[in-house]
Each structure stands twice: as C-alpha cells, then as structure tokens.
Amino acid sequence: MADAKVIPFDDDRSRGGAQRPARRRPAGTGRHKPDPAAAGEPAAAERPASARLPRGRAAGARENVVSALPEQPGESPGAPGDGVSGEEAPAAAGGSWERRVAGGLAFLRKRLTGDYEVDEFGFDEELTDQVLMSLLRPLYENYFRVEVKGIENIPSDGGALVVANHSGTLPLDGLMLQVAVHDNHPAGRHLRLLAADLVFMLPVVNELARKAGHTLACAEDAERLLTRGEVVGVMPEGFKGIGKPFSDRYKLQRFGRGGFVSTAMRVGAPIVPCSIVGAEEIYPMIGNAKTLARVLGIPYFPITPTFPWLGPLGAVPLPTKWTIQFGEPIATDGYPPEAAEDPMLMFNLTDQVREQIQHTLYKLLVQRRSVFF
C-alpha cells in the first residue's frame, strides 16, 4: 500500500487553481439523487417533518405494533383488557414476523434490481437506516452504553458543522457519533463525516464509507454538503488525535489552521463543539511500531496491552462507558463574507472551539464514576 497521506481540511481546493482528483462515483446500479442545491429544490433537512420517514429507535418501534400497546397494571400481553386475547397474541406475533420478512424481501428486491437512490457522494440513505445503523446499534447501546447530552444544540434543519475530538486508535468514535445523531436527534438527522483519504483507499471500507454518507475531508466537499443543509462532522485532530499515546489521553492535539472555521463562515453554518469521553480507553496505545507502520504505509502501528500479543482477540475493544456531549453552537452567519479570509479571526475562532471541547472533556471526566460504569 502506498504511504497514506491526509488531505488537510483547511486546504481549500476550490481556490488556488489546484485541481483535485475527480471524485470516484460509487459502484452499483442505484439511481443518483439530484443535488437539491443545484436543482433549486429544498434540502432534505428542510422538508416538513411529516415527509420524513421515522428513523432509529422510532423506526424499530413500528415493527411490532402489539408490543407497543400500553399495558394496564397487573395485565400481561394477551390478557383481557389490552385488546389482544390470549389466542390472538400468537397470531399477532406471527403477523409481526411476516411483516419483517416481507420488508426484508422488499429491501433485497430493490438492491437486486437497482431500484434505490444514492446522492452524488454515494450516500445510500435506505441502506444506512435499515442495515448499517442496525449493525452499529448493538455496539452503541449494549457494549459502549453511550449516553448523549445536548443533542438539542444541533439544529433541526439547515446546515451545521459538528466539530469533535478524535481518539481511540481505531476510528470507532466517528461511527458512534454518527449513531448518536441519527438515533437521538428529534428530526432523525444524518451526520455526514469527513474522513481521511486512507479510508477511501481500503477495499470494502471504501464502499461502506461512501454508502454511510462519509466523504473526503476537504473544504470543497464540506462546503457543498453544508450548502445543501446537511449536518457535517469533522475531527480536526486527524491521525494526531486517534494515534496519540495513552499517556496523552484527553489532551487535544493541534486543530490545524482553522479550515473548518472558514468553511462554516463561507456558508454561514453554526459550529457545534462535541466532546467524546470513553473512546480513549478502548485500545490503550502504549507503543508505536513506526518501522512496521512505514512498511505497511499506515500512519502508525499501535501496540496495546492486548495487541498484537493476543492476535485477532487483541483487536476487540474494551467495553468502556461513553458520554457524548454537544455544546452550545457558535454562530458564524453574523460575519461579513470577507471575514473567512482573515487569518487572525480564523485562529481565534478555532481556539475558541478547541477550548470549549477541552473544557467539556475535563468536566465529563470529573463527573464520571468509572471508565467502565
């Protein structure tokens, strides 16, 4: 594998005349959704709530109507008074399974016939809602037991830039952040993460990342998504944060030159600081085999108390307890257009976002009872 490189987020590819490689179109026969911004149509986040399909836990709840019926004290499902007799309960349960099977077959038919839509970045909303989120949800709910705070700070419509700390040796924090927004936001919004180019160089991972709505961490893609009214997620620490030693846990690394701030200002999107506690301890990185990392063409080769000593078993993350807190949004729509070119203003706003995330991390660490509980 060639040496991995990170395209800096603050490198504005739309300026300076440099041509970036053409974006790879996703494989498959699915239809491409027209760009709402280009076609003059309202963005997905701007559609009425009644036009959106329920997602996350709400979508799962409708699968079993019988179990969602309120129960009276002292009554059990199938008892007199709940509308379902003891004889009718098995039939109702059977109907639920039939609906699930029918829904699964309909989903497979769409996959096989290509009767589904993806946007210009390769995002497959139906596949993400019904498959990818379902695969990540047990890890989110039962393994890491993620607690979410301040989700109301993400707007219900329009573009917003979520800026979070990055840690954990492997980027599981980005995936858990994506589930947190999807399952807890009242509008069921999707988080479109900006990822390093290494993600799109790996087979299988590349396709899954595109299907889940991730795109390359560059100003051009971020600005286009924000203009369309999407919630965009960025972790400015990059490999410096995710690959830092365990001794530096919860100490934020450099945030770059403020590229994410200038992008948000050009669009007028609010910046939502986000602090994640719990990810630092899933793979305590006590060493880095730099020579082996250079041979493999990766930023670092982690050595943990369990990896590589226990082989594949050492790749199992520790079941830490996570907390994700979204802070008060920082408005950017009050600045004039030329403010995005002011380096001092960029530095000050970047430092403000970084300090807010760091302060919240310290507060959450003081409040938590244990790493695992």
Side-chain angles (χ1 to χ4, degrees), residues 231-357:
V231 179
V232 179
V234 61
M235 295 173 166
E237 293 176 280
F239 291 125
K240 299 188 302 292
I242 196 175
K244 64 177 177 288
F246 188 65
S247 58
D248 291 338
R249 59 192 180 278
Y250 298 115
K251 297 177 183 177
L252 294 183
Q253 306 299 299
R254 185 173 176 268
F255 265 26
R257 294 172 291 176
F260 67 90
V261 172
S262 62
T263 300
M265 292 185 68
R266 281 195 293 270
V267 180
I271 299 174
V272 182
C274 176
S275 302
I276 304 174
V277 166
E280 293 276 16
E281 294 90 358
I282 60 174
Y283 296 110
M285 186 169 165
I286 59 177
N288 179 16
K290 296 182 179 179
T291 301
L292 186 56
R294 284 195 296 268
V295 171
L296 296 176
I298 55 179
Y300 54 87
F301 187 90
I303 297 175
T304 75
T306 59
F307 183 84
W309 327 114
L310 300 182
L313 186 62
V316 177
L318 297 178
T320 58
K321 174 71 170 64
W322 288 34
T323 301
I324 298 178
Q325 179 161 336
F326 299 94
E328 291 286 340
I330 300 172
T332 64
D333 55 355
Y335 294 96
E338 61 272 14
E341 309 299 329
D342 186 345
M344 185 57 66
L345 179 60
M346 295 301 101
F347 175 81
N348 291 335
L349 286 178
T350 301
D351 192 58
Q352 179 183 350
V353 175
R354 186 180 182 278
E355 287 300 318
Q356 187 169 338
I357 295 174

Side-chain angles (χ1 to χ4, degrees), residues 11-343:
D11 181 13
D12 190 346
R13 299 308 177 101
S14 63
R15 297 175 295 158
Q19 298 292 328
R20 61 186 291 263
R23 182 184 299 111
R24 180 187 173 191
R25 294 294 182 183
T29 57
R31 300 190 302 272
H32 285 271
K33 293 182 181 179
D35 184 358
E41 299 176 358
E46 299 173 354
R47 292 197 297 265
S50 59
R52 301 192 193 102
L53 292 176
R55 302 186 177 98
R57 297 189 184 94
R62 66 182 179 182
E63 294 179 352
N64 195 337
V65 179
V66 176
S67 62
L69 292 173
E71 299 180 10
Q72 300 297 326
E75 293 183 351
S76 59
D82 64 0
V84 182
S85 67
E87 295 179 355
E88 294 172 345
S96 174
W97 280 106
E98 290 175 359
R99 287 193 297 273
R100 295 183 184 182
V101 171
L105 292 176
F107 175 79
L108 290 176
R109 180 187 62 79
K110 291 182 179 180
R111 296 289 113 182
L112 294 174
T113 60
D115 186 21
Y116 60 93
E117 292 183 341
V118 297
D119 70 6
E120 60 176 318
F121 296 96
F123 175 47
D124 189 332
E125 184 174 352
E126 184 183 38
L127 180 69
T128 300
D129 287 346
Q130 298 193 23
V131 178
L132 301 182
M133 289 293 112
S134 298
L135 294 175
L136 292 173
R137 198 166 287 122
L139 192 66
Y140 172 90
E141 293 181 344
N142 304 321
Y143 197 79
F144 294 134
R145 296 145 291 147
V146 181
E147 178 183 359
V148 177
K149 301 179 180 180
I151 191 67
E152 66 277 2
N153 289 318
I154 297 178
S156 297
D157 51 38
L161 183 66
V162 176
V163 182
N165 59 304
H166 205 12
S167 63
T169 305
L170 291 181
L172 295 181
D173 53 354
L175 299 177
M176 296 301 102
L177 182 61
Q178 189 177 10
V179 180
V181 174
H182 178 275
D183 282 7
N184 291 276
H185 197 279
R189 305 200 68 180
H190 285 279
L191 181 69
R192 307 293 294 271
L193 287 170
L194 304 177
D197 62 342
L198 177 61
V199 173
F200 303 103
M201 294 169 59
L202 301 174
V204 181
V205 174
N206 169 32
E207 296 299 328
L208 289 177
R210 289 289 186 189
K211 296 291 186 183
H214 305 173
T215 189
L216 194 64
C218 66
E220 180 188 17
D221 286 0
E223 188 171 342
R224 189 168 182 81
L225 286 170
L226 289 172
T227 303
R228 289 171 42 174
E230 301 283 357
V231 179
V232 179
V234 61
M235 295 173 166
E237 293 176 280
F239 291 125
K240 299 188 302 292
I242 196 175
K244 64 177 177 288
F246 188 65
S247 58
D248 291 338
R249 59 192 180 278
Y250 298 115
K251 297 177 183 177
L252 294 183
Q253 306 299 299
R254 185 173 176 268
F255 265 26
R257 294 172 291 176
F260 67 90
V261 172
S262 62
T263 300
M265 292 185 68
R266 281 195 293 270
V267 180
I271 299 174
V272 182
C274 176
S275 302
I276 304 174
V277 166
E280 293 276 16
E281 294 90 358
I282 60 174
Y283 296 110
M285 186 169 165
I286 59 177
N288 179 16
K290 296 182 179 179
T291 301
L292 186 56
R294 284 195 296 268
V295 171
L296 296 176
I298 55 179
Y300 54 87
F301 187 90
I303 297 175
T304 75
T306 59
F307 183 84
W309 327 114
L310 300 182
L313 186 62
V316 177
L318 297 178
T320 58
K321 174 71 170 64
W322 288 34
T323 301
I324 298 178
Q325 179 161 336
F326 299 94
E328 291 286 340
I330 300 172
T332 64
D333 55 355
Y335 294 96
E338 61 272 14
E341 309 299 329
D342 186 345

